[in-house]
Amino acid sequence: MSLPLEGLSAIVTGAGRGLGRAEALELARLGAAVVVNDYGRPGRDGSGEASAGPAEEVAAEIRAAGGKALAHTGDVADFSQARALVGLAITEFGKLDILVNNAGILRDRMVFSMAEEEWDSVIRVHLKGHFNTTRFAAAHWRERSKAAGGPVYGRIVNTSSEAFLAGSAGQPNYAAAKGGIIGLTTSTALALAKYGVTANAICPRARTRMTEDVFAGLDQPEDGLDPLAPEHVAPLVGYLAAPSAARVNGQLLVVHGGMVAIVERPRVAAKFDSKQEAFTYDELDALLTPHYAERPSGETFGAVEVLGLKRA
């Protein structure tokens, strides 16, 4: 029986643990040859010595199951190392077909207490890391398309978060990075569609090293699969990477515990027109103040009320 990703090659960043590991294993199970990327630092804040161990272990697990996998331990937030990562997949497997950007760190702090380095480091790993790999993968697909004289096969799956959708008081750096990833995804989707490439983003909710404190009060079930297991997320990544998702492009999907929600782009909730050439303060006060007075105090812009989701 043929597998949906048979003959395709993939990169998964941050794949040594948690979500990235589950995603790499799923892509391999579906037939893809996988480059498992992980910088290997033990701290979820990106601290500690880099290690080849996590990436090597996942690659070995894939090979032991009969799949094809290589380990890469570079830092995707470094422009030249991201280039080398994409180059490795092309050199070893002949081409790159799928890019799953998952690597990230946390440096949580309230906005009034956050240090410049805490902001910069999170933006660097999440947002710049997503851009770096996307940039070199996109160049590869564009060159292949020009050589072929038509569209080629390319899939990008980026990792955003409900922290962007719903807000996260103690994570201004993380929420901003995850929001930026949506902008990068939609821009990339438009730019690469003519080459046959799709770009989509997911907001996963899962119990991993990154979320251990968020879900600390939710016990794992004694029997059956944990509703917060990363294995609930990985199949969606496999689907978005597959030929059957060719018409899915520039989309944001929330996924966790047997649930997938497609998020609509923001819609206008209310519209006010000036009765004169330009608005005055008094006119805006008369229109907007009553409108917002009817909303619950502290309610913020976001998709929480639409999706019925609580922040993760």
Side-chain angles (χ1 to χ4, degrees):
M1 183 180 69
S2 63
L3 299 170
L5 303 184
E6 191 168 14
L8 302 179
S9 65
I11 290 171
V12 183
T13 71
R17 305 177 178 91
L19 276 170
R21 173 183 174 274
E23 292 162 356
L25 293 174
E26 177 69 4
L27 295 183
R29 189 188 69 81
L30 295 175
V34 183
V35 178
V36 179
N37 163 265
D38 200 285
Y39 203 24
R41 285 183 166 173
R44 70 175 188 171
D45 62 352
S47 62
E49 292 295 323
S51 168
E56 292 284 6
E57 289 173 8
V58 175
E61 188 174 354
I62 290 172
R63 291 192 296 267
K68 296 180 181 178
L70 299 169
H72 179 272
T73 56
D75 177 8
V76 294
D78 181 278
F79 200 65
S80 62
Q81 292 184 52
R83 179 195 288 117
L85 170 59
V86 173
L88 176 64
I90 296 168
T91 299
E92 294 296 327
F93 301 132
K95 59 184 172 56
L96 174 65
D97 303 293
I98 300 159
L99 171 63
V100 179
N101 285 309
N102 172 75
I105 63 170
L106 291 178
R107 299 281 178 89
D108 292 353
R109 192 86 61 186
M110 298 297 286
V111 68
F112 44 77
S113 303
M114 182 162 287
E116 181 181 16
E117 190 277 332
E118 291 170 330
W119 173 272
D120 289 347
S121 61
V122 169
I123 298 296
R124 175 183 180 273
V125 175
H126 286 274
L127 186 52
K128 187 182 178 186
H130 272 59
F131 160 73
N132 285 346
T133 53
T134 297
R135 184 256 184 260
F136 294 111
H140 169 64
W141 289 320
R142 181 171 178 263
E143 290 170 6
R144 282 176 52 199
S145 178
K146 285 186 173 184
V152 296
Y153 192 98
R155 300 283 188 271
I156 299 172
V157 182
N158 289 330
T159 307
S160 184
S161 170
E162 290 174 82
F164 148 71
L165 282 174
S168 183
Q171 297 181 306
N173 48 5
Y174 181 75
K178 292 305 190 182
I181 285 168
I182 299 304
L184 172 64
T185 301
T186 54
S187 175
T188 302
L190 290 173
L192 301 186
K194 64 181 178 180
Y195 302 118
V197 179
T198 67
N200 296 287
I202 63 170
C203 289
R205 190 187 299 185
R207 194 191 307 273
T208 69
R209 184 179 56 151
M210 294 274 284
T211 61
E212 57 188 8
D213 53 345
V214 176
F215 300 125
L218 299 175
D219 295 332
Q220 299 187 44
E222 295 182 4
D223 300 312
L225 185 63
D226 181 359
L228 292 170
E231 286 74 18
H232 287 292
V233 175
L236 176 61
V237 173
Y239 167 75
L240 292 174
S244 54
R247 294 177 60 86
V248 185
N249 194 28
Q251 299 295 299
L252 173 61
L253 300 98
V254 176
V255 54
H256 60 84
M259 186 281 296
V260 172
I262 301 171
V263 181
E264 290 186 336
R265 296 193 181 197
R267 294 183 295 172
V268 175
K271 181 176 177 292
F272 303 95
D273 295 309
S274 176
K275 291 182 170 50
Q276 49 209 2
E277 186 176 6
F279 274 113
T280 64
Y281 168 85
D282 289 337
E283 187 179 17
L284 290 171
D285 181 30
L287 291 171
L288 298 183
T289 301
H291 172 75
Y292 283 105
E294 296 174 358
R295 303 181 69 173
S297 176
E299 183 181 68
T300 60
F301 166 80
V304 178
E305 61 197 58
V306 177
L307 295 177
L309 299 173
K310 294 182 179 179
R311 184 183 66 82

